[in-house]
């Protein structure tokens, strides 16, 4: 399968890349802001494009054979989906905590409500760590020891690169002249 053909297939198959929670949150915030402005691609398409880019880069960075890649892809996709699902759950919990504690808002939560929400967040974070570890272990089963080590480095590097790309897109949108519809 050629590199271009593989990329086209991957665009339709991949989920989100994630690494450090802070970087994922920044990426989601940037993408959400772009989506709210009504410009560019919808968030899901942006995520798929970035994921396709990450998978192609991962194959090269890790030096995967075609056989390894065929085993790696569904497990990597599962890891990406696990991260996405858990990131969204965590983001919803944090937004709820923000709403409950916002001094400008009308809703002032009781201490019991806050305690319960914090407990739920801690449980979700523990579950997330376990789910991600299992998904990463599945990916590791397709890799040799050197590739496993490189995969950890790759996760960090690709997350940084994705943030750079998103910041660059955002900056370029800010520099574009406004296009007015013709009347």
């Amino acid at each position: 399968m050629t590199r271009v053909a593989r990329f086209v297939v991957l665009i339709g198959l991949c989920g989100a890349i994630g690494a450090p929670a802070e970087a994922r949150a920044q990426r989601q915030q940037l993408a959400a802001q772009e989506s709210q402005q009504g410009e560019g691609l919808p968030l899901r398409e942006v995520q798929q494009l970035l994921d396709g880019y990450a998978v192609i880069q991962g194959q090269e960075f890790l030096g995967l054979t075609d056989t390894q890649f065929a085993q790696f892809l569904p497990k990597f996709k599962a890891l990406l989906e696990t991260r996405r699902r858990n990131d969204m759950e965590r983001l919803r919990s944090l937004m709820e905590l923000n709403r409950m504690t916002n001094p400008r808002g009308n809703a002032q939560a009781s201490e019991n409500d806050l305690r319960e929400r914090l407990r739920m967040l801690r449980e979700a974070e523990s579950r997330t760590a376990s789910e991600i570890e299992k998904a990463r272990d599945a990916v590791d089963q397709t890799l040799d020891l050197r590739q496993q080590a490189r995969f950890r480095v790759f996760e960090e590097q690709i997350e940084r690169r994705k943030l750079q790309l998103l910041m660059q897109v955002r900056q370029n949108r800010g520099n574009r002249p406004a296009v007015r519809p013709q009347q």
Side-chain angles (χ1 to χ4, degrees):
M1 183 180 285
T2 69
R3 187 174 181 192
V4 172
R6 195 175 296 128
F7 181 73
V8 170
V9 169
L10 294 175
I11 292 299
L13 295 176
C14 293
I17 277 286
E22 180 179 323
R24 286 192 308 271
Q26 288 174 346
R27 184 183 75 240
Q28 289 173 343
Q29 182 180 10
L30 286 172
Q33 288 173 354
E34 295 298 331
S35 179
Q36 288 173 354
Q37 291 175 357
E39 296 180 16
L41 298 171
L43 175 59
R44 184 72 177 165
E45 288 181 37
V46 170
Q47 290 172 333
Q48 288 176 340
L49 288 171
L50 290 172
D51 293 347
Y53 170 77
V55 171
I56 293 296
Q57 294 300 311
Q59 182 180 18
E60 289 181 26
F61 190 84
L62 300 173
L64 299 175
T65 65
D66 287 342
T67 303
Q68 278 183 305
F69 183 74
Q71 296 170 350
F72 171 82
L73 180 60
K75 293 178 181 185
F76 188 49
K77 180 183 173 191
L79 174 61
L80 299 174
E81 285 299 322
T82 299
R83 284 188 174 136
R84 174 179 285 126
R85 184 181 63 252
N86 286 303
D87 285 348
M88 293 307 295
E89 182 181 345
R90 184 172 189 277
L91 184 59
R92 280 190 293 271
S93 291
L94 290 173
M95 288 171 51
E96 180 63 17
L97 280 172
N98 183 45
R99 185 192 64 74
M100 294 170 75
T101 59
N102 190 343
R104 295 182 211 178
N106 296 334
Q108 291 297 318
S110 70
E111 285 189 15
N112 286 337
D113 290 341
L114 289 173
R115 200 172 284 115
E116 177 64 16
R117 179 57 67 175
L118 287 170
R119 182 192 61 75
M120 290 170 55
L121 180 59
R122 277 192 297 275
E123 286 175 4
E125 289 172 339
S126 292
R127 187 178 63 254
T128 294
S130 175
E131 288 177 7
I132 289 174
E133 183 179 342
K134 287 178 187 174
R136 188 180 283 136
D137 286 346
V139 169
D140 283 348
Q141 290 174 5
T142 67
L143 306 173
D144 64 30
L145 186 60
R146 183 168 304 282
Q147 288 170 329
Q148 290 175 29
R150 296 222 9 109
F151 182 67
R152 298 312 186 275
V153 173
F154 169 73
E155 287 181 296
E156 182 64 30
Q157 288 181 354
I158 200 67
E159 192 62 32
R160 281 192 206 140
R161 180 66 180 135
K162 286 170 63 175
L163 281 172
Q164 289 171 347
L165 289 170
L166 286 171
M167 293 297 285
Q168 194 173 16
V169 166
R170 187 173 187 209
Q171 185 178 23
N172 288 343
R173 284 187 179 169
N175 293 335
R176 267 192 308 191
V179 177
R180 294 191 181 112
Q182 294 180 342
Q183 297 181 4

